[in-house]
Amino acid sequence: MDRSENMRRIRSRDTAPEIQVRKVAHRLGFRFRLHRRDLPGKPDLVFPGRKKIIFVHGCFWHKHSCREGRVPSSNSSYWAPKLARNVERDTAVLQALDSLGWSTLVIWECELRNEVVLADKIQAFLSGAPAEHP
Ligand SMILES: [Zn+2]
């Protein structure tokens, strides 16, 4: 990856993954609302009729188990507690939504590379069928 490509990726990190998931869900024909403030965690995509919610999580900020989710070795005394708090908050939000009767799906940034698998996963979750790619 060259430098300019790297810069582009950094700049678009906050929103690009979410936009990609929205596009896929939309193409599959699902209707949704964005960032409903009346729900715990202000979920990224809300499907009110199905009582389903999709979060799009950046692997670094939400500490995914993949390579991108590792705590940086430099300055780790700063990052470790900060990232751990994010994970605690995520867990609390998912539990709160569950107790309100919402089903949730977390899509990780690294899962966006294969859009066919991504579409299958979203379709399976929203249609209630068992996921083919858990
Ligand atoms: Zn990941």
Side-chain angles (χ1 to χ4, degrees), residues 59 64 66 110:
C59 297
H64 192 210
C66 74
C110 64

Side-chain angles (χ1 to χ4, degrees), residues 60 70-80 83:
F60 176 73
R70 284 196 300 230
V71 176
S73 52
S74 67
N75 223 352
S76 66
S77 60
Y78 169 77
W79 286 112
L83 296 171

Side-chain angles (χ1 to χ4, degrees), residues 57-60 63-69 108-111 113:
H57 279 181
C59 297
F60 176 73
K63 255 181 115 182
H64 192 210
S65 56
C66 74
R67 214 163 63 89
E68 300 295 322
W108 295 94
E109 197 176 355
C110 64
E111 294 182 282
R113 288 183 204 122

